[in-house]
Amino acid sequence: MAFRKRLQEITRSLRQYLALYTAIYRDPRTPRLARWLLGAVLGYLALPFDLIPDFLPVIGHLDDVLIVPGLIFLALRLVPPEIYDDHRQRLRLSG
């Protein structure tokens, strides 16, 4: 049961952060480049194929593990802290 509970926590956390990134994306105060990067993340996740096919050992999954978090990291670095904090507090997220 501990595994199931942990999986539910991870799912809830992912949903919360998706809501946070969506709110930041929609905020008119968000810089254009940050919006573009967040849009690129959503587009990449929606693609039915990967840039590097998953059947290639290790490197096939590495692109997903590096590209998505990397783009999110870059986008959030461009967002002013007050915008990030406003949305985080509004959505009652910690950290």
Side-chain angles (χ1 to χ4, degrees), residues 44 50 52-67:
Y44 182 78
D50 286 338
I52 301 172
D54 286 341
F55 63 81
L56 296 174
V58 181
I59 196 167
H61 294 284
L62 211 59
D63 69 328
D64 296 330
V65 172
L66 295 175
I67 291 174

Side-chain angles (χ1 to χ4, degrees), residues 52-86:
I52 301 172
D54 286 341
F55 63 81
L56 296 174
V58 181
I59 196 167
H61 294 284
L62 211 59
D63 69 328
D64 296 330
V65 172
L66 295 175
I67 291 174
V68 172
L71 289 175
I72 290 172
F73 175 78
L74 289 174
L76 293 180
R77 297 277 299 189
L78 296 170
V79 174
E82 57 272 2
I83 295 173
Y84 182 82
D85 291 339
D86 287 350

Side-chain angles (χ1 to χ4, degrees), residues 5-39:
K5 184 174 174 74
R6 181 69 182 136
L7 191 58
Q8 288 172 342
E9 289 174 12
I10 291 170
T11 302
R12 184 177 61 247
S13 178
L14 286 173
R15 285 182 182 160
Q16 289 174 336
Y17 279 100
L18 181 60
L20 174 65
Y21 300 150
T22 302
I24 291 171
Y25 177 81
R26 291 181 178 166
D27 191 317
R29 300 174 294 167
T30 300
R32 188 173 294 167
L33 181 56
R35 282 187 191 183
W36 188 85
L37 290 171
L38 289 172

